Amino acid sequence: MAIAFNTLLIPVDFSQNTDIAVKKAAELAGKEGAEFHLLHVLRAGSEVDEKFQRLESMIAATYPMIRVRRHLLRGRSVQRAIIECAELLRPDLIVIGKSKPPKKWFGFRGISPDIIAKKSNYPVLTVKPGSADCKTRVILIPIRNFLPERKLEWAVMLAKRYRAQVHLLAIQDRQEHKDWALPQVFLKAYHQMREHLHHPIEYSATGRQSTAKAALNCAELIMADMIVVNPETESGVSGIAGYRHISDLLGKDSKIQVLDIQPYKSELQN
């Protein structure tokens, strides 16, 4: 399955978050041209026309092949606005720039990239300012108890686009039975990647119970630039501070990008 980046939805707050989201979206769009849909959620009495004009001028000057459309929505929930806009636009990808919380815009009723990906069914890439000047060289793919077809398709496409190394991480939940399907699923995932990528596929295994933390620990160990996860089950972290997205555990200067991809319905039924 070929994956194109013709339509990208970028929530904007005109801060450093916006700058990094636009830059990473442009990296993926490349020279092919794309349409950026810039979404801003207005508070009562706010005026952003001049900010939009400056942002649009910057994109036109830096990325002349990209078309830009602006969207202004009023409401108190940024997350709901993103989901509603995605349902209308049907983007190929949603790109969210996010500094380490708390942050004024993202603290406004908060957003969870994985919940957006799950409810909208569109992939969500979360990037931190630290990834601005970093190339994507290593992509980490957690593998659990089912074959993540959609996630693997995206991993192949991204690995080819960035000429990046792929690392598969087998994660066995301690609560699962010993005779479960991880070895078989992992081998299928490995061979599927080998069929589409010419360079060697790296791999490792862990028995950690928290998938998100296991993926993050491995990403830091192998110096990965991107983690491709299923939303909530692989990107959610529960603790004393409540539920958090894996990106909230990353510092502002982290180069690690997180891509949440909701599985195909057929995957969830198996």
Side-chain angles (χ1 to χ4, degrees):
M1 174 183 175
I3 300 171
F5 293 102
N6 298 318
T7 305
L8 295 96
L9 174 59
I10 307 173
V12 301
D13 63 349
F14 309 106
S15 71
Q16 190 178 28
N17 293 326
T18 296
D19 296 340
I20 180 60
V22 168
K23 183 169 185 176
K24 286 301 176 180
E27 272 185 20
L28 286 167
K31 298 180 180 180
E32 301 169 9
E35 191 166 68
F36 284 8
H37 291 265
L38 309 178
L39 168 65
H40 182 75
V41 180
L42 284 167
R43 299 193 189 198
S46 60
E47 178 56 52
V48 295
D49 187 63
E50 290 187 5
K51 293 180 179 179
F52 253 122
Q53 289 181 9
R54 287 197 295 269
L55 177 57
E56 290 166 344
S57 297
M58 181 277 291
I59 294 175
T62 311
Y63 314 108
M65 296 294 291
I66 292 172
R67 301 181 301 276
V68 176
R69 295 182 183 274
R70 70 169 72 172
H71 302 271
L72 293 173
L73 297 179
R74 293 188 180 275
R76 292 195 56 80
S77 174
V78 174
Q79 180 164 288
R80 188 179 303 117
I82 296 171
I83 294 170
E84 291 175 355
C85 197
E87 290 172 346
L88 290 173
L89 297 173
R90 304 181 68 180
D92 300 305
L93 180 68
I94 302 170
V95 185
I96 295 176
K98 192 175 183 184
S99 298
K100 188 173 182 179
K103 200 70 177 174
K104 184 177 180 181
W105 187 65
F106 283 96
F108 178 48
R109 292 295 294 270
I111 70 168
S112 295
D114 49 354
I115 294 177
I116 294 172
K118 186 172 183 178
K119 290 189 175 181
S120 71
N121 199 34
Y122 294 105
V124 178
L125 178 66
T126 306
V127 294
K128 293 294 188 81
S131 68
D133 299 316
C134 296
K135 294 183 179 180
T136 302
R137 293 189 174 91
V138 180
I139 300 173
L140 175 66
I141 318 293
I143 303 294
R144 297 184 300 120
N145 60 339
F146 68 93
L147 189 65
E149 294 280 0
R150 192 180 185 194
K151 195 167 67 170
L152 294 177
E153 289 172 359
W154 274 78
V156 169
M157 181 277 299
L158 291 169
K160 288 182 177 179
R161 175 152 303 202
Y162 288 120
R163 296 182 181 179
Q165 175 73 53
V166 169
H167 187 106
L168 300 179
L169 174 65
I171 302 178
Q172 182 168 359
D173 193 315
R174 295 172 185 171
Q175 296 178 351
E176 294 284 355
H177 296 295
K178 293 182 179 180
D179 59 348
W180 75 310
L182 175 60
Q184 183 178 358
V185 169
F186 187 81
L187 285 175
K188 285 183 178 180
Y190 177 83
H191 288 299
Q192 185 167 320
M193 298 300 288
R194 284 296 305 271
E195 287 178 4
H196 295 92
L197 299 175
H198 299 297
H199 49 73
I201 308 298
E202 300 293 333
Y203 58 89
S204 58
T206 180
R208 293 180 181 273
Q209 190 168 345
S210 170
T211 300
K213 289 184 178 179
L216 182 57
N217 290 337
C218 181
E220 293 175 341
L221 181 65
I222 67 173
M223 301 180 68
D225 306 286
M226 181 183 293
I227 309 174
V228 184
V229 292
N230 294 142
E232 292 189 315
T233 56
E234 296 177 352
S235 60
V237 181
S238 298
I240 299 176
Y243 179 86
R244 292 180 294 172
H245 185 253
I246 188 174
S247 63
D248 292 334
L249 303 182
L250 299 171
K252 178 180 178 181
D253 296 328
S254 175
K255 69 172 185 177
I256 299 176
Q257 307 161 70
V258 181
L259 179 60
D260 284 272
I261 299 178
Q262 178 70 357
Y264 291 127
K265 290 183 180 180
S266 59
E267 297 177 40
L268 298 175
Q269 293 171 353
N270 293 334

